Amino acid sequence: MHTLNPDEQPAKISAPIKPLRLAYGPAPQQFGDLYVANEPGLYPIVILIHGGYWRALYGLDLMNSLAEDLAKRGYAAWNIEYRRVGNPGGGWPGTFLDVALATDFLRKLAPSYTLDLQRVVPIGHSAGGHLALWLAARPRIPLFVNNSPLAGSQQPGDNEETATPLMLAGAISLAGVVDLEMAWRLHLSNGAVVGLLGGSFTDVPERYTAASPAAMLPLGVPQVLIHGTNDDSVPLQVSQAYTNAAIAVNDLVTFIELEGVDHFEVIDPHSHAWAITMNELQKLERTN
């Protein structure tokens, strides 16, 4: 059990930061907002991935305040939108292809915005926590599923150098749905994962394997899972079980259980939970 630290690290820069909206693909939902600090530098990158059980009802605005806070701390925050269930092309495989494409698109953005591709960490909340860890698992998909549409880089015109997914320094899940088979068995959010993958675990098991970080352990990338004990949207047991499975195969995982914290407090930039997340982000940077 982690006791919340009463001290919160202040953001380094106070001036307002206006995001740049950049399209990474032709679909209306294939864009991201890039927040970069108003000072020169080579910026470590945080990819922000919002939640909402992969449904179109929720959007990237859930993460706007975190993006601004990160930019004020000296990070480049890439707050991405993606096709969700309810959008044309959302669900399987479009949701995953979009998140992959948005990530690989950083290779194109890096020269123009002085982004440090050696220090890239996705932070996702809820369903976005699943997608953040899935990005870390993505290079392992061919080891588990033959000819999956999710394997490889999704950047059009890839050459030999960029044909592999962008490497990550780590990945952080905030109250993430990190095990899709468990999400199906628990019938979370009225069976949301069935809508995402187009079938049950018994109907399309290969999709669950290629889409679930828990099915591809060990990931070989440092992972941090942060989850509150008062979460009534994603049960704490999802992160607990994932952590136990990762430890059993000697993976690089840190689990922080926050007493009394609910599902949304972890994405409040003024919360102690976010201060803890920032501390873990800095540790990932130092180990890279």
Side-chain angles (χ1 to χ4, degrees):
M1 189 74 65
H2 189 99
T3 302
L4 292 178
N5 189 328
D7 298 321
E8 179 184 353
Q9 176 187 342
K12 294 192 295 187
I13 304 166
S14 58
I17 294 172
K18 183 177 180 180
L20 301 167
R21 179 151 294 187
L22 303 166
Y24 63 82
Q29 295 82 25
Q30 291 177 322
F31 68 89
D33 289 341
L34 182 65
Y35 294 70
V36 181
N38 298 318
E39 59 180 26
L42 184 62
Y43 304 111
I45 307 163
V46 173
I47 304 167
L48 289 173
I49 313 174
H50 72 80
Y53 273 109
W54 311 285
R55 294 179 176 123
L57 181 62
Y58 305 93
L60 85 172
D61 57 295
L62 286 169
M63 309 296 267
N64 286 353
S65 59
L66 299 187
E68 184 166 351
D69 182 79
L70 284 162
K72 289 179 179 179
R73 295 174 188 269
Y75 295 92
W78 179 224
N79 187 19
I80 63 170
E81 193 53 277
Y82 52 94
R83 290 173 293 174
R84 287 92 69 209
V85 176
N87 299 132
W92 176 271
T95 292
F96 298 90
L97 298 180
D98 284 3
V99 172
L101 179 58
T103 299
D104 296 335
F105 190 68
L106 287 167
R107 289 186 175 117
K108 291 193 171 183
L109 297 181
S112 298
Y113 300 101
T114 61
L115 309 181
D116 188 350
L117 294 177
Q118 303 304 310
R119 293 186 291 169
V120 181
V121 176
I123 298 178
H125 173 241
S126 194
H130 151 253
L131 292 167
L133 265 57
W134 177 78
L135 285 173
R138 192 162 53 120
R140 295 178 56 76
I141 293 173
L143 302 178
F144 291 87
V145 181
N146 292 326
N147 301 315
S148 172
L150 306 189
S153 173
Q154 304 302 328
Q155 188 63 54
D158 280 330
N159 55 37
E160 185 175 353
E161 179 183 357
T162 62
T164 56
L166 184 67
M167 294 301 295
L168 305 176
I172 299 177
S173 166
L174 305 177
V177 194
V178 291
D179 185 331
L180 297 190
E181 180 184 349
M182 179 179 283
W184 172 72
R185 295 189 185 281
L186 295 175
H187 196 62
L188 296 184
S189 191
N190 298 311
V193 70
V194 174
L196 172 69
L197 297 183
S200 70
F201 178 73
T202 53
D203 292 333
V204 288
E206 74 287 349
R207 293 185 181 184
Y208 281 75
T209 298
S212 181
M216 293 184 279
L217 291 168
L219 306 190
V221 174
Q223 305 142 64
V224 179
L225 285 76
I226 298 174
H227 213 130
T229 60
N230 286 8
D231 193 320
D232 60 2
S233 296
V234 179
L236 180 65
Q237 72 184 92
V238 176
S239 288
Q240 290 172 326
Y242 181 96
T243 301
N244 291 336
I247 291 172
V249 292
N250 298 312
D251 210 1
L252 307 168
V253 64
T254 298
F255 174 53
I256 299 175
E257 182 176 316
L258 300 178
E259 179 66 31
V261 170
D262 65 22
H263 190 64
F264 289 99
E265 188 174 343
V266 293
I267 56 169
D268 177 355
H270 305 294
S271 71
H272 302 314
W274 182 244
I276 290 168
T277 302
M278 290 298 91
N279 186 54
E280 294 302 316
L281 176 61
Q282 290 168 7
K283 289 180 185 178
L284 292 176
E285 280 195 332
R286 289 197 294 267
T287 58
N288 187 48

